[in-house]
């Protein structure tokens, strides 16, 4: 079955969805120990969360990039995720979806969350022909994320290293078996339609 161009795929339960971020150890370590981001975590900056493990691996270079050595799996409430989607705007202008560029810019300024679609990645981190969903959280959304939505934080850096080692050894089938079980996340058309690029 062909994968649709725009679909949210994630590890999720009846109550939560898992997103990924990568931080330096001085932020990632305390976040895992306390289940919350430390005071050094910048609430006044936009933070991007990614439901795709492999897109996160592409972004952080399997946890080898400076400042992204600690890969976190952040389990958040589905209610929080729904709030983020209801209050989101696409990160770029799309003719026909927005009345005009001025309308899109106004929406972007007012929206506490942004949606971006980038090519999904395979185990070699090569682009796939369909898109991976990312969510940018700023202002009220970043505060809600940090203070209300987080259910748990897990350090998945060892998993990233293990999968990367297998990929480099040419054992892609074994590597694939270790990947998080990301399934289509249930979203109604009325939620997804205004967020398609």
């Amino acid at each position: 079955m062909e994968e649709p161009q725009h679909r949210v795929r994630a590890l999720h339960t009846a109550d939560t969805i898992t997103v990924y971020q990568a931080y330096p150890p001085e932020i990632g370590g305390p976040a895992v120990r306390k289940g919350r981001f430390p005071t050094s975590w910048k609430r006044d900056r936009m933070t991007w969360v990614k439901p795709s493990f492999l897109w996160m691996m592409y972004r952080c270079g399997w946890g080898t990039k400076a400042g992204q050595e600690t890969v976190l799996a952040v389990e958040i409430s589905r209610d929080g995720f729904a709030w983020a989607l209801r209050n989101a705007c696409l990160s770029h202008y799309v003719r026909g979806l927005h009345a005009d560029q001025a309308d899109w810019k106004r929406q972007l300024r007012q929206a506490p969350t942004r949606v971006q679609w980038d090519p999904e990645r395979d185990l070699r981190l090569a682009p796939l022909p369909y898109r991976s969903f990312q969510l940018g959280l700023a202002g009220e959304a970043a505060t809600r994320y940090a203070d209300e939505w987080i259910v748990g934080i897990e350090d998945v850096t060892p998993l990233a290293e293990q999968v990367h080692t297998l990929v480099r050894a040419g054992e892609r089938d074994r590597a694939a078996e270790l990947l998080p079980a990301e399934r289509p996340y249930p979203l109604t058309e009325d939620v997804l339609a205004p967020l398609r690029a």
Side-chain angles (χ1 to χ4, degrees):
M1 185 171 154
E2 190 172 323
E3 186 69 25
Q5 185 76 352
H6 298 95
R7 172 188 271 171
V8 177
R9 292 167 300 278
L11 178 64
H12 58 88
T13 70
D15 302 312
T16 65
I17 177 170
T18 297
V19 295
Y20 299 95
Q21 295 191 286
Y23 288 103
E26 57 269 23
I27 290 178
V32 171
R33 287 192 297 276
K34 296 182 179 180
R36 289 283 178 265
F37 289 110
T39 55
S40 56
W41 187 77
K42 305 287 189 205
R43 291 167 179 265
D44 56 347
R45 291 177 53 187
M46 178 163 286
T47 188
W48 287 88
V49 299
K50 304 148 184 70
S52 167
F53 180 81
L54 285 176
W55 206 97
M56 186 71 255
M57 295 306 98
Y58 166 73
R59 179 71 180 83
C60 72
W62 299 100
T64 63
K65 290 185 180 178
Q68 300 184 62
E69 301 92 342
T70 307
V71 184
L72 303 179
V74 184
E75 194 176 13
I76 63 173
S77 71
R78 283 174 70 152
D79 288 344
F81 188 66
W83 185 95
L85 295 180
R86 284 195 311 273
N87 291 278
C89 177
L90 271 176
S91 62
H92 65 279
Y93 169 72
V94 175
R95 184 186 303 271
L97 184 60
H98 306 105
D100 53 36
Q101 288 222 2
D103 174 62
W104 165 71
K105 285 180 181 177
R106 188 180 66 256
Q107 288 181 34
L108 193 65
R109 277 193 306 272
Q110 295 171 348
T113 57
R114 294 182 184 179
V115 166
Q116 186 168 305
W117 299 90
D118 291 298
E120 181 60 281
R121 301 285 159 167
D122 65 14
L123 276 165
R124 293 174 291 117
L125 305 185
L128 292 167
Y130 51 89
R131 298 283 165 166
S132 180
F133 174 88
Q134 297 177 65
L135 190 62
L137 309 171
E140 181 184 359
T143 299
R144 286 175 178 254
Y145 171 63
D147 295 340
E148 301 172 17
W149 301 347
I150 293 175
V151 174
I153 302 177
E154 180 185 357
D155 184 350
V156 292
T157 312
L159 174 63
E161 293 169 351
Q162 189 177 8
V163 173
H164 189 205
T165 297
L166 289 170
V167 170
R168 284 185 300 179
E171 298 187 53
R172 287 205 283 271
D173 288 345
R174 285 184 62 202
E177 290 172 3
L178 298 178
L179 295 176
E182 294 168 5
R183 300 173 287 119
Y185 187 83
L187 290 174
T188 58
E189 181 60 20
D190 63 311
V191 172
L192 193 55
L195 302 176
R196 283 199 185 99

